[in-house]
Amino acid sequence: MKQALLMLLLVCSLHFALSLRVGIYDNPPQVYLSDGRPAGLYIEVLESIAEDNGWKIEYVFATFSEQLENLKTGRIDILVSIAYTEERAKLYDYNNEALLLNWGVICVQKNFQYRDITDLAGKTVAVSKGDVYGQAFLRELERYLVSVNLLELPDYPDVLRAVQEKRAAAGVVSRIYAVQNHQKFDAKITGTIFSPVELRFAFPKGSAINATLIDKIDEYLRKLKSDHEAYNNLIARYLGMEKRVVPPWLATLLLVTGVGLVVFASWTLSLRVLVKLKTRELLKKNEELEQLNEEILAQQQELSTLNEQLEHTYERLESSLKRFSDILSFLSGISPDVAREDFYKMFLSAAQGFDPNAIVVLMCDGECYLLDRGSMKKITVKELTSCNDRSKVVDLVSETLGIDFEAAVYEVSKDGETALLFLYKDHSVKHVDEDLAEALCSVLTIYIKLKKHEEALTSLSEGVTHAFLRALEFHEQHTAKHSETVKNYAVKMVRKLGLGERQAQLIGCAALLHDLGKLAVPSTVLNKPARLSAEELQLVKQHPVIAAEIIRHIRGLEEVAKIVRHHHERWDGKGYPDGLSGEEIPLGARILCIADAFEAMTSVRPYRNAMSISEAVSELISNAGKQFDPNLVRIFLEILKEEGVSVVES
């Protein structure tokens, strides 16, 4: 009972005391301001409905796009004269009865020669922001592949004003607005029409008062349209039509005919545009064919010339391929591991092979290198500070070598420290290509930079290594001698295995630094004469990890750090710190493990006397395949035999 009473009170309050905020915008003759007061067809209709139902109306004036946002957010209760579309019906609520039918048209400047929508290609076209006809126009552009410069404006007056001021070649507005206002803006209406829609009232989506408003508005409109004379008089007053009574059957026929004409006009436009597009495509294809024929003729003329050049190019290509192959073969030998003079000899020999007619001279650090009967000669060039002065360098080389020559190809590195000369005693012989000489000089420069970098790193590594070793010597007295002996054993094994000089340097460095981590172990533990406790033993076992952690932060010693970390791993996987086994253990660490163990066994320690050589050898043999790599044990024993040590293998 109480709920029914409350509903009755709500209905009564809505009927007798409803206050509405109505959104209006400039779109005559449907809605506009006249002397600052709202006017227009939809205003007259709405005020009649409000008077019949006791509604109070407050008008809110803004642009159309702003009113759409106001409607969406509920800042207005009604928006008048808005086109109904399915897309908009998802955002707003609409009444069911339409007061007018409208469609979109294109208006252009009076002197614009307009035939169809394709004439707008590349032109500026003005549309009202959020307008359904503007959106339909964009779909038509996509359909016919026409591109325009779009100018979005707040309302229809702004659109036609842009056409009048020639800021736009065309503008899209509604048919009703165009008919009523195009002359005011010196514009003409084209025959292009699209998107017929009904003009209704719209409301915020889901508003509680929508049902009442829609019911009252639809009831009024149905009653109005049923009185044909009153409806026609109202429409004629605003749209300028002749006042006459139209029978219902004729009104329906006119409506159907009007819609049919819009559809027919749209279909006719589509056909005309399609024909025009196809015609343009055919013309473009014809132009392309003519251009293609001209290109074919030109290409045929070029073919004969190209054929003549082809044989010559093929010969040069064969020569270039051979030279390229020779350069690749030469580049494969570039490595900082190669000694300087060995590389210089190899380089001069390769360069001489590229041009047997030349005397090839290499200059670096004030020294002059050249081949003489297969042997390399090194001669100091006095008073030479830089290779950049070409004439001075050539004269000094000629004087120093005692060579008279008529021509020279000269290349110098960017830093001016390295130069390459091809000297010719006979000016008439073919000279080496300057590109090849430049490439060879670049190769030479790269090697020298790599070599200097490696020498600097090696010097730094040796300095750091000896500094660490010196510090460790203060901590544990026998360390320096032990490390040097381990290094000698390890390097001999590397060379026996033929691993190269770089590996010898890395593993030798690792041998010197392998006990660096003992700096973190108290000297009382290291020099303890008795057996170590379990805790002390665990502390000592951390020294490879600590050493590796220190070393890995030194540039160029990253590989050394890995060897040091794993030199106490065992072949059977029972070592420390990571329990690696077999070939999981780095080769350098396996070598270091044997050298370290043998030196330790044959040296005096605080907790035991030194073993004899034979006893130490027996330990190596008995632990091969357990603690030690069996193949490396065999290599180590061969080294001992070569040094005159009697080795009895079981």
Side-chain angles (χ1 to χ4, degrees), residues 24 148-149 156 222 253 298 355 361 415 488 521 543 635 638:
I24 61 173
V148 302
N149 300 316
Y156 288 159
R222 281 193 295 270
L253 178 61
D355 190 351
V361 179
D415 57 13
N488 291 335
V521 180
H543 82 272
I635 295 295
E638 288 178 4

Side-chain angles (χ1 to χ4, degrees), residues 239-412:
L239 301 187
M241 296 164 52
E242 183 182 350
K243 298 178 182 178
R244 63 179 63 175
V245 178
V246 180
W249 65 269
L250 182 56
T252 303
L253 178 61
L254 289 174
L255 178 62
V256 172
T257 303
V259 173
L261 286 173
V262 171
V263 173
F264 178 75
S266 178
W267 177 70
T268 303
L269 172 65
S270 299
L271 286 179
R272 188 166 67 181
V273 171
L274 286 173
V275 169
K276 187 174 182 180
L277 288 174
K278 292 298 181 183
T279 302
R280 286 182 179 177
E281 287 180 9
L282 286 173
L283 290 173
K284 186 177 179 181
K285 292 293 183 184
N286 285 334
E287 290 176 0
E288 290 176 354
L289 283 173
E290 289 179 2
Q291 184 179 358
L292 187 60
N293 284 332
E294 291 176 1
E295 290 177 357
I296 289 173
L297 290 173
Q299 288 174 0
Q300 286 176 343
Q301 293 174 356
E302 290 176 1
L303 276 175
S304 58
T305 305
L306 290 173
N307 284 330
E308 292 174 2
Q309 294 175 351
L310 186 60
E311 290 186 5
H312 179 63
T313 303
Y314 181 74
E315 292 174 0
R316 293 185 62 187
L317 180 62
E318 279 190 329
S319 175
S320 297
L321 285 173
K322 183 179 183 305
R323 189 168 64 188
F324 180 70
S325 176
D326 292 342
I327 291 175
L328 282 181
S329 176
F330 172 65
L331 288 176
S332 65
I334 296 179
S335 168
D337 293 341
V338 180
R340 275 187 184 241
E341 295 202 357
D342 291 341
F343 177 81
Y344 289 165
K345 183 176 180 181
M346 180 174 64
F347 179 88
L348 289 169
S349 178
Q352 194 74 63
F354 291 132
D355 190 351
N357 295 318
I359 299 172
V360 185
V361 179
L362 181 161
M363 301 190 65
C364 180
D365 297 331
E367 302 289 347
C368 179
Y369 301 86
L370 73 159
L371 290 179
D372 183 16
R373 298 185 183 88
S375 299
M376 188 174 70
K377 291 174 64 176
K378 174 182 175 183
I379 304 171
T380 301
V381 181
K382 298 178 181 179
E383 301 178 5
L384 181 63
T385 57
S386 172
C387 295
N388 283 322
D389 190 340
R390 182 185 186 279
S391 59
K392 181 178 180 181
V393 171
V394 171
D395 290 342
L396 284 173
V397 169
S398 176
E399 181 182 342
T400 302
L401 300 180
I403 300 174
D404 293 325
F405 54 88
E406 296 181 0
V409 175
Y410 183 87
E411 289 294 335
V412 62

